[in-house]
Amino acid sequence: IRTSELKLKRITSWIFLAVEAVLFCTFVAMDIANHSAENIVKYIAIALVGIMGLRAGKNKDNIVVTIGLLFTMIADVFLILVGNFVAGVCVFICVQTCYTIRFSFMSGKPLVGELLKRLLPGLILGSLATYFLGINVGIVVAYACSFAVNFAHGFELHILKPSPRHLRFAIGLFLFACCDICVGITNLRPGFLTEQMIRNAEVMTWIFYLPSQVLILSTTDALSLKKPQK
């Protein structure tokens, strides 16, 4: 890649981060104020992450992460704009499947084994939860099984093969998990928590969520923040 192209990529990367920071501050302030238009701002912020992923490059790692980010955009259409919880979580299972494929690339472990390790427990436990507790709980259990293994493998991979990229991916998944915990609190509304604590969890959901997606994006070649060498 020519130096001029690298400079342009660096400039657009910093512009992207600046725009995301503005959107982040905007929707957090709107969330606290309980403004009705907050969901539009949130979705724009997430959509920009997916769009930026399209310039990540054509190697298999970049492609699978970009597909995961695009699935995230689709999931949030259902969860934020349409309000279809089951469809949204189903698409998020596809997101975690993309990251499972990435772990297979990173670790060199067979893909079939990695998929079975996540999807089989999710299928069994999700089916049982659906039968006894309903589809909403069942689909969450299936998703949680996949995400829990990915979350653990994220930190395992960084410990075994330490690198800044692996660390950013692990932290991104950690923030993603914190977001999901807040979503669970908001939707399940456990009786031992006060209404204010549940409201705080609702606000914290996106404080964790958008940074998690930007960190995951930063593990691809979509962002270039360093000055190109002459």
Side-chain angles (χ1 to χ4, degrees), residues 109 117 149 151-161 170:
K109 294 179 181 179
K117 205 184 298 181
V149 181
F151 175 75
H153 279 205
F155 285 94
E156 178 189 36
L157 185 65
H158 176 64
I159 292 169
L160 296 176
K161 298 179 179 181

Side-chain angles (χ1 to χ4, degrees), residues 120 130 188 218:
L120 193 57
T130 299
L188 297 176
S218 76

Side-chain angles (χ1 to χ4, degrees), residues 4-52:
S4 59
E5 292 175 346
L6 290 173
K7 286 182 178 179
L8 179 61
K9 190 171 185 178
R10 179 173 176 267
I11 291 169
T12 54
S13 295
W14 281 109
I15 291 172
F16 163 76
L17 292 177
V19 171
E20 289 287 28
V22 171
L23 290 171
F24 179 83
C25 293
T26 301
F27 71 62
V28 169
M30 294 173 76
D31 234 350
I32 293 170
N34 210 15
H35 195 286
S36 60
E38 66 190 52
N39 285 346
I40 300 297
V41 180
K42 289 174 179 177
Y43 190 75
I44 291 171
I46 285 297
L48 283 176
V49 176
I51 291 167
M52 282 294 288

